Amino acid sequence: MEDHSLEKKYNKYIVAVSIVIPIVVAVLFAVKLKDFGINVEPLSFLPPIYATINGITAVVLVMAVLAIKNGKRKTHERLMTFAIALSLAFLVMYVAYHMTSDSAKFGDLNHDGILDAIEKTKIGAIRYLYFFILITHIILSVAIIPLVLISYVRALANTFDKHKKIAKITFPLWLYVAITGVVVYLMISPYYV
């Protein structure tokens, strides 16, 4: 039995969350606790953890698709819920890291926080590849929020035809975001202080 009222009920929340999360993350990304006199140690141990979470998310997403293709709806549902939880954990750690640490600059070989002409020359064109991956990762990580929420609510509402249509868009984009999260980390990690 399809429940269109459940979808309608959650639409305003999906819109609100899809707007609020990117704004809050952007604001918190710019906030440095030290600027407010709050002295905390940089949480420099977090980037490899949240990169691993991105990798696990990618694996869980693939497992969830395989589960539903094999008719294991409950397993699929649990895996998708777990993927959402992993993404939330990533988000919290990502914000916490950036609130306590200065951002690494890609190509900053001497770790002085300044990318000079010599460093740019040494890094070369790989810098453009890094920024392409980073920018598409960021843009799609924002775009994926409403897609994930709509997909999830449609499944809860038992509107599986509609769920399947949007999931075909959501899955590859979410998978791209998860995988490129790992790639971005691997590319920037040599430049962490």
Side-chain angles (χ1 to χ4, degrees):
M1 175 94 178
E2 291 185 357
D3 186 359
H4 297 286
S5 64
L6 187 65
E7 279 186 74
K8 287 180 182 177
K9 176 183 173 185
Y10 284 104
N11 278 343
K12 61 184 170 197
Y13 297 115
I14 290 170
V15 170
V17 168
S18 299
I19 293 169
V20 169
I21 286 178
I23 291 171
V24 169
V25 169
V27 168
L28 291 177
F29 187 85
V31 170
K32 300 294 183 216
L33 294 178
K34 65 183 177 184
D35 295 341
F36 295 94
I38 302 170
N39 293 323
V40 294
E41 287 294 314
L43 301 176
S44 55
F45 63 92
L46 285 178
I49 295 170
Y50 61 68
T52 301
I53 287 173
N54 267 325
I56 293 168
T57 301
V59 171
V60 169
L61 290 171
V62 171
M63 289 171 56
V65 168
L66 292 174
I68 200 65
K69 286 187 182 285
N70 289 315
K72 298 177 180 176
R73 184 180 288 179
K74 197 66 179 167
T75 300
H76 172 77
E77 181 183 326
R78 287 181 181 137
L79 288 168
M80 293 310 299
T81 302
F82 184 47
I84 291 170
L86 287 169
S87 293
L88 288 171
F90 161 83
L91 192 58
V92 168
M93 287 185 227
Y94 178 81
V95 169
Y97 168 76
H98 284 285
M99 289 180 74
T100 62
S101 308
D102 292 324
S103 295
K105 288 189 175 18
F106 187 81
D108 184 13
L109 297 168
N110 63 6
H111 305 284
D112 66 355
I114 301 166
L115 192 64
D116 61 37
I118 295 169
E119 290 169 322
K120 284 182 183 177
T121 302
K122 285 184 179 178
I123 294 301
I126 194 81
R127 206 165 157 257
Y128 298 108
L129 175 63
Y130 169 77
F131 283 114
F132 173 80
I133 294 168
L134 177 64
I135 290 166
T136 57
H137 171 80
I138 291 169
I139 291 168
L140 291 175
S141 70
V142 171
I144 200 70
I145 296 167
L147 294 173
V148 167
L149 295 174
I150 292 166
S151 298
Y152 197 74
V153 168
R154 286 182 177 175
L156 290 176
N158 295 321
T159 55
F160 293 113
D161 286 344
K162 290 168 73 177
H163 167 76
K164 189 174 179 179
K165 282 180 186 176
I166 197 162
K168 285 183 178 185
I169 298 165
T170 305
F171 168 72
L173 295 179
W174 195 358
L175 186 62
Y176 178 85
V177 169
I179 291 169
T180 56
V182 176
V183 172
V184 165
Y185 167 74
L186 293 173
M187 292 180 82
I188 194 74
S189 63
Y191 308 108
Y192 283 119
V193 178

